[in-house]
Amino acid sequence: MKPYLLAESNWKTIKEENFNLVILPWGATEAHNYHLPYATDNIQAERIAEEAARIAWQNGAKVTVLPTIPFGVNTGQADIKLDININPSTQLAILRDIVQVLRRQGMYKLMILNGHGGNDFKPIIRELGLEFQDMFICLCNWFQFKGKMDFFKQPGDHADEMETSLMLYLSPSLVRPLQEAGLGAEKKNRILAFREGWVWAERKWSQVTEDTGIGDPTASTIEKGERFFCEITNRIAEVLLELDNANTNDLYI
C-alpha cells in the first residue's frame, strides 16, 4: 500500500491520516498518432503525480493523489473516432463537487495535475476561487515545463518526441514500433496573426494533422523518457513540498 495514493489506501488508514494537499491528475482519451495508446495522457499524468507524491511524502509532505480523471476537452476532434469529449462546463461541475468534498473535510489545498493541452482550467479555477475563497486551487501543466527542450530536440505537442519517449519508459508494451508512426506534420494557419499566437482559434484536428500527431516522434528513446521523468517528477515534488508547508494567505514577498 502506498499511503499517498487514495486508490490504494483503505478506511483503516485514511481515517487516522491528515492531508494538507490533494493532487488531482486529469488527462484525456484520444488518438495519439498511430503508435501511442488513447490513454497516453492518463498514463503520463497518473505516473507523474504518483512519483512526485512519493518523493514529497518521503520528505514529510502530507499529500494524497486522487484517481485520474480520464476524459478531457476534445471539442476540436469531434470527427476523430472515439476521442471522448467532456465540455469545460462539465469539468467545472466535477471540480466544484470535488472541492466541496475537500472543504467539508478540512483539506484546503488542491493541485490539478493536467496532462492534456485541450484542458483549460484557468477560467474554471478563477470561478471556483471566487466561490470558495478559503480554498487554494492551483494548476500544473507538466508538459509546459520550461526545461523540456534540454531533453528533446524535435518540437511538438502531441505524440511527439517527448510523449513517445515517456511512453517508451512508462508503458513500452503499449507503444507500437516507431517505424509505424506518422511524422506528426502540422499544417499552419494561413493567417499570420494566428501563426504568431496573438490571435487564437481552436484547431480543427483532422485539418491540421493527417495522423493525429503533432511533432516528429522518430528520435524518441527510453533513455530520454527516463531522464525527463526523473527531472519532471523531482521538480513537481519540490513544488508539492513548498505548497504543503506554505501559508496560502501569505504567499507573496
Side-chain angles (χ1 to χ4, degrees):
M1 188 182 68
K2 301 170 183 175
Y4 49 87
L5 298 184
L6 181 60
E8 295 189 14
S9 299
N10 51 62
W11 173 231
K12 182 177 179 63
T13 303
I14 292 296
K15 67 187 294 188
E16 304 297 336
E17 192 61 79
N18 294 313
F19 297 109
N20 297 327
L21 174 60
V22 177
I23 305 156
L24 176 62
W26 202 310
T29 298
E30 59 178 1
H32 276 73
N33 203 316
Y34 299 128
H35 63 295
L36 294 183
Y38 270 62
T40 291
D41 292 346
N42 302 323
I43 293 167
Q44 292 173 346
E46 182 173 279
R47 293 288 297 277
I48 288 170
E50 289 181 2
E51 179 63 7
R54 181 192 68 80
I55 296 168
W57 181 273
Q58 289 184 343
N59 284 278
K62 290 295 185 178
V63 300
T64 186
V65 179
L66 303 184
T68 301
I69 296 180
F71 303 124
V73 176
N74 287 91
T75 49
Q77 303 178 28
D79 58 342
I80 305 297
K81 186 179 291 184
L82 287 176
D83 277 20
I84 305 299
N85 173 64
I86 62 172
N87 291 321
S89 56
T90 307
Q91 291 185 315
L92 172 60
I94 292 170
L95 273 173
R96 178 179 285 116
D97 287 352
I98 292 172
V99 166
Q100 287 175 335
V101 171
L102 299 181
R103 284 183 74 243
R104 189 165 62 244
Q105 299 179 2
M107 288 167 273
Y108 296 100
K109 298 176 183 177
L110 171 65
M111 172 186 280
I112 303 164
L113 197 144
N114 179 35
H116 172 56
N119 294 335
D120 184 6
F121 288 108
K122 287 184 180 180
I124 293 174
I125 291 172
R126 293 180 194 276
E127 184 165 342
L128 292 177
L130 185 62
E131 184 176 350
F132 304 108
Q133 297 188 30
D134 53 354
M135 286 293 298
F136 177 82
I137 308 172
C138 66
L139 170 65
C140 174
N141 290 322
W142 68 263
F143 49 88
Q144 293 179 340
F145 173 58
K146 299 296 185 183
K148 70 179 182 180
M149 294 315 295
D150 294 337
F151 298 83
F152 308 105
K153 296 180 179 179
Q154 297 295 331
D157 63 17
H158 193 71
D160 56 354
E161 182 185 356
M162 180 188 72
E163 282 203 298
T164 302
S165 294
L166 271 176
M167 290 301 291
L168 283 169
Y169 173 61
L170 296 174
S171 296
S173 64
L174 299 181
V175 181
R176 295 188 65 83
L178 289 182
Q179 59 265 32
E180 296 184 14
L183 293 179
E186 178 188 10
K187 296 178 181 179
K188 301 294 186 179
N189 198 300
R190 296 180 187 276
I191 301 171
L192 177 62
F194 289 92
R195 297 199 303 272
E196 292 178 339
W198 59 278
V199 180
W200 179 87
E202 183 174 46
R203 291 180 290 188
K204 299 301 182 183
W205 211 251
S206 59
Q207 297 178 25
V208 170
T209 167
E210 294 182 0
D211 50 35
T212 77
I214 294 182
D216 186 351
T218 54
S220 306
T221 67
I222 295 174
E223 292 75 20
K224 290 177 183 178
E226 181 177 12
R227 289 196 302 270
F228 182 67
F229 182 77
C230 291
E231 176 70 12
I232 192 65
T233 52
N234 274 281
R235 294 294 293 272
I236 294 173
E238 292 173 4
V239 178
L240 297 179
L241 280 164
E242 290 185 277
L243 283 175
D244 178 69
N245 293 315
N247 176 357
T248 54
N249 293 315
D250 185 25
L251 282 178
Y252 307 101
I253 57 175

